[in-house]
Amino acid sequence: MYLRETRRTNKDGSVVRYLQLAHNERHPATGSPTAKVLHNFGRADQVDKEALARLVSSISRVLAPEQQAALAPEVTAAAGGEVEVVDSRRMGGAWTLDRVWERLGVGAAIRRAAKGRKLDPETAERVLFALVAQRALEPASKLAATSWVAERVVIENLPGLSDDQAYRGMDFLLAALEDIAAEVFHSVATLLNLDLDIVFVDTTSTYFETERPDELPETAEATADDQVSNPTESGARAFGHSKDFRTDLPQVVIAMAVTRDGVPVKCWTFPGNTADTAIIRTIKDDLAGWNLHRMVWVADRGFASATNRAYLTRGGGHYIHAEKLRHTGAEAAAALARAGRYKEVAGNLRVKEVHVAPGGNGDGDGGVRAQRFVICHNPDQAERDVTVRANLLTHLEGLIDGSDAWTARKRDELLVGSLKGKAGLKRYLRRTPAGLLRIDRAAVKKDAHLDGKWLLRTSDTTLTPQDLAAAYKQLLAVERGWRDMKGHLGLRPVFHHREDRIRAHVQLCWLALLLIRVIENTTGDTWRNIRHELDRLHLVTLATAQGQVAQRTTLTAGQKTILTALDLPEPRRFYDFTTPAA
């Protein structure tokens, strides 16, 4: 059945058009299709278009919403009405994050954890997703999230968000974090087939723009690491060693465990004065409950203590960590002094394996009690170290030029004043018995022996030196995670002062980092490029006198490439169709 148009030409040459409702029937004799007129609407220039629109509307009531929406332009044209754009929101980034969120099982884990509590599981899950998506797409405060959800972005099944809902969602996330994190980890590990033999651990700190910590330093208890007890997670702000070089501001310490693919396993938050060597014990015990198999922990120099090494080897675990090249222990010093040939493993990397007995005396009792070290050497880095040291010495020579004529007080001012905190300069300067300032050539020669080197200690006897060097270089994956947290995800500034809300804020950043890292690994592109392309996909709401329809914009070639790489279908074209009667 269709709308048929016929024409008649008058004697004066004018053409008159007629509209008819017809359908085709086969002629009983010839078998050819023949149009059968069911109803004549009359002349096309005199037809009642509003009546036609009502007819189309009444017919559309039996159609699916998508089919109704597809008819909306035709209904509008038939009625002769105007189309108004009443709303336009970004949907590409949030829609993609939502699909990855469900694929990784995060949404399902939250809904299951919410059952039996005094809140709706579906609403709690949607609220937390909105807060995570905000961190990934447009980081801001939780209060700003309310207007962001209501006016700027499309979050499916969440038309609005109040600040109370946001804070209740954060409280719930923190209360159920252990169950949610464990379930998400196992789901992600299974789905992505993650390599969990090696786990990278690192810490950072984030400061707060306030001079007042949560506890006055004068009344705070001593926090020295007793090498035995595990620190408890807390978002308490305290003064400590700042990795952001803001020792004047209170901070919290954040730890993160990451797989070799850069996927964050879990995050922890500790008071700002907690030592790294104590944090690793809490991390190991937390992950021990996840029934992981053989694990090798890769950590930086901050975790290098004999007690921590012994703790990490409990239960068959192993460690790989860097040793300090200067002011190091007897065993590391003996390893660096040991002669031997390097083995080329890459164009810019050479390795040498050394076994040292405890205390640095000999090679150990048949290798059983020996400490295994791997000395890594980068020739390119060695050249850079030579250049940097030459520049430092030139600068230092200029500073002490003519110092023999200075007073003793002025020479003291240089050492404890100008060079205070400049270890790179101060270690090359010595004072003679007469009090004169000279370049310490012995220190220069000793430093030259360390050019382009780094030293690894490990308890694992199965990994080759090449694997050990490559594993440690992959520790950069954690450092990249910190950059993304503090950059793309807006970890700082933290718009909270309660310690529980601070911890919840960190966990939202962790979930956001999990989503964007999986997307980056799958697509092979950076999140900044992906977000920029997906933000071009909008949901536009059109309104006429006959109703309202929400329709997404046409997918670009870049958006199709991203969805194909993620194995996601195209978003449906129409999301809403409302008639005046409805």
Side-chain angles (χ1 to χ4, degrees), residues 25-106:
E25 291 183 350
R26 291 193 177 275
H27 192 278
T30 63
S32 301
T34 304
K36 180 178 180 180
V37 177
L38 301 178
H39 179 74
N40 285 302
F41 291 103
R43 292 178 53 159
D45 57 341
Q46 298 176 357
V47 72
D48 186 353
K49 293 185 178 181
E50 293 185 1
L52 286 178
R54 289 193 297 270
L55 175 62
V56 173
S57 179
S58 64
I59 294 174
S60 69
R61 281 198 287 266
V62 300
L63 302 179
E66 293 80 4
Q67 295 172 309
Q68 294 178 8
L71 289 174
E74 285 78 1
V75 174
T76 301
E82 295 184 357
V83 178
E84 292 186 2
V85 179
V86 298
D87 192 17
S88 178
R89 303 189 188 191
R90 289 176 294 179
M91 69 167 291
W95 186 90
T96 303
L97 289 170
D98 203 352
R99 296 307 175 276
V100 177
W101 171 272
E102 289 298 332
R103 177 180 292 178
L104 298 181
V106 184

Side-chain angles (χ1 to χ4, degrees), residues 407-426:
T407 63
R409 181 182 180 86
K410 187 174 181 180
R411 288 194 288 266
D412 290 340
E413 288 177 353
L414 177 67
L415 288 174
V416 301
S418 301
L419 298 185
K420 183 180 180 180
K422 298 181 179 179
L425 287 173
K426 197 172 182 179

Side-chain angles (χ1 to χ4, degrees), residues 202-205 241-246 251 253 276 486:
D202 198 10
T203 63
T204 190
S205 59
H241 174 68
S242 174
K243 300 187 179 182
D244 297 307
F245 307 103
R246 292 304 304 267
Q251 64 178 17
V253 176
D276 285 353
K486 296 181 179 181

Side-chain angles (χ1 to χ4, degrees), residues 393-411:
L393 291 175
T394 300
H395 180 64
L396 186 58
E397 288 172 348
L399 290 177
I400 65 175
D401 185 32
S403 62
D404 290 356
W406 295 355
T407 63
R409 181 182 180 86
K410 187 174 181 180
R411 288 194 288 266

Side-chain angles (χ1 to χ4, degrees), residues 307-500:
T307 305
N308 276 347
R309 292 196 296 269
Y311 200 86
L312 290 177
T313 54
R314 292 182 183 178
H318 293 283
Y319 61 82
I320 304 171
H321 70 71
E323 289 281 343
K324 295 180 180 179
L325 296 182
R326 301 179 184 88
H327 311 294
T328 187
E331 297 163 2
L336 287 170
R338 189 68 55 83
R341 292 180 177 273
Y342 284 97
K343 182 178 180 181
E344 299 282 347
V345 297
N348 62 343
L349 181 63
R350 305 188 303 162
V351 296
K352 177 173 64 176
E353 184 173 354
V354 177
H355 292 269
V356 178
N361 299 318
D363 297 332
D365 186 9
V368 176
R369 299 174 58 246
Q371 299 289 312
R372 186 187 184 197
F373 292 88
V374 174
I375 306 171
C376 306
H377 180 256
N378 185 334
D380 297 336
Q381 181 62 44
E383 293 180 4
R384 288 191 290 270
D385 291 344
V386 170
T387 302
V388 170
R389 186 170 55 253
N391 293 336
L392 289 175
L393 291 175
T394 300
H395 180 64
L396 186 58
E397 288 172 348
L399 290 177
I400 65 175
D401 185 32
S403 62
D404 290 356
W406 295 355
T407 63
R409 181 182 180 86
K410 187 174 181 180
R411 288 194 288 266
D412 290 340
E413 288 177 353
L414 177 67
L415 288 174
V416 301
S418 301
L419 298 185
K420 183 180 180 180
K422 298 181 179 179
L425 287 173
K426 197 172 182 179
R427 69 168 173 262
Y428 297 133
L429 189 63
R430 68 180 180 89
R431 177 176 276 180
T432 67
L436 302 180
L437 300 179
R438 295 290 184 268
I439 300 295
D440 190 343
R441 299 299 172 183
V444 173
K445 183 178 179 180
K446 184 178 180 180
D447 247 24
H449 180 65
L450 303 177
D451 288 344
K453 295 180 181 178
W454 69 91
L455 180 64
L456 302 180
R457 183 199 293 251
T458 182
S459 63
D460 193 293
T461 60
T462 62
L463 294 175
T464 65
Q466 299 94 311
D467 292 336
L468 293 173
Y472 183 73
K473 290 181 71 174
Q474 284 179 311
L475 190 60
L476 294 174
V478 189
E479 298 176 359
R480 180 178 168 227
W482 293 137
R483 290 195 299 271
D484 287 343
M485 264 200 174
K486 296 181 179 181
H488 296 320
L489 305 181
L491 173 65
R492 188 176 56 238
V494 183
F495 299 97
H496 305 283
H497 64 275
R498 283 175 43 176
E499 71 89 16
D500 55 342

Side-chain angles (χ1 to χ4, degrees), residues 153-173:
V153 71
V154 178
I155 303 293
E156 292 187 2
N157 301 321
L158 187 67
L161 171 68
S162 68
D163 54 346
D164 285 340
Q165 284 181 307
Y167 293 133
R168 287 198 300 270
M170 293 174 66
D171 294 341
F172 157 67
L173 174 64

Side-chain angles (χ1 to χ4, degrees), residues 123-146:
T123 303
E125 182 270 329
R126 287 290 80 193
V127 167
L128 286 177
F129 169 74
L131 296 178
V132 170
Q134 182 205 24
R135 303 243 63 85
L137 298 171
E138 194 174 343
S141 67
K142 307 306 178 292
L143 185 60
T146 60

